[in-house]
Amino acid sequence: MAHASRAVFIAGGGSGLGAAVARTLAASGWRIGLAGRRHDALTATAATLTNVEVRCYPLDVVDSAAVSAAITDFQPDALVCSAAVLGQGDVFADLTPARFAEIHAINVQGTFNCCSAAMRLWHDEQRTGDIVNVSSLAGLRGMQAFPGFAAYASSKHAVIGLTEALALDGKAHGIRINAIAPGMMRTEMLAQLGITPATQAGDIAPTVEFLLDRERAGPITGTTVEIHCND
């Protein structure tokens, strides 16, 4: 289904699931805004997107002013929040209060900053909009098989709660907000841990595309879609 008139801003769009979502949506005609901390990753992903408008916004999602400026400049119709870090470390060693706060700042505060900027833009301009936040199955059932990820798991729990709460705020204004909670997929983050699942990020991206499609998913908001990968 073509979406030539629609634009999507993807936080964490330079790699992993964000890049896969960009490729999937670009193939359907979406205009793409890619945001992330690594300029080289953004430009590399942008180079794979053909026959669509693509803009790159090097920024840190923790910087709310930078996020707001980028979203205001790009004027998206939809938002995907996939910027995150794993932050391995247990409470007896590497998981200090400062590290815990840093992981939550990126995974939770960063998601809020993006959602807030988009929602305020749409509200002020009396527009509707659609958001998909990326959580994880670890945000639903913890990470019993992977000790040492307390900060990551708790941040992904928070993303689900944030999604549900913001969906209530947006509902009266025609703003839909949902989340996905995928299992393990092959990304750079997991590769650093020596984990290479068979499921690719591109296998997850169509679910994001579905949730952003108002014709097919219009009644859905405040929902977290679990994606149990075949690994």
Side-chain angles (χ1 to χ4, degrees), residues 73-90:
D73 177 74
F74 187 63
Q75 292 285 312
D77 303 291
L79 168 69
V80 176
C81 298
S82 64
V85 293
L86 275 172
Q88 184 181 20
D90 69 47

Side-chain angles (χ1 to χ4, degrees), residues 97-184:
R99 181 57 173 156
F100 184 90
E102 179 186 13
I103 293 166
H104 274 250
I106 296 169
N107 295 3
V108 187
Q109 183 70 51
T111 297
F112 172 78
N113 288 345
C114 293
C115 289
S116 175
M119 292 175 72
R120 288 174 181 271
L121 172 70
W122 296 332
H123 177 267
D124 291 347
E125 297 186 354
Q126 298 184 333
R127 296 163 53 192
T128 60
D130 306 287
I131 297 174
V132 174
N133 294 327
V134 178
S135 180
S136 168
L137 288 181
L140 292 166
R141 297 177 181 83
M143 299 187 72
Q144 291 85 348
F146 299 96
F149 289 94
Y152 177 78
S154 58
S155 74
K156 291 302 186 179
H157 275 271
V159 167
I160 291 174
L162 178 66
T163 298
E164 293 173 352
L166 291 181
L168 291 176
D169 292 346
K171 192 171 184 179
H173 305 284
I175 298 172
R176 298 187 310 119
I177 309 171
N178 294 290
I180 62 168
M184 290 192 301

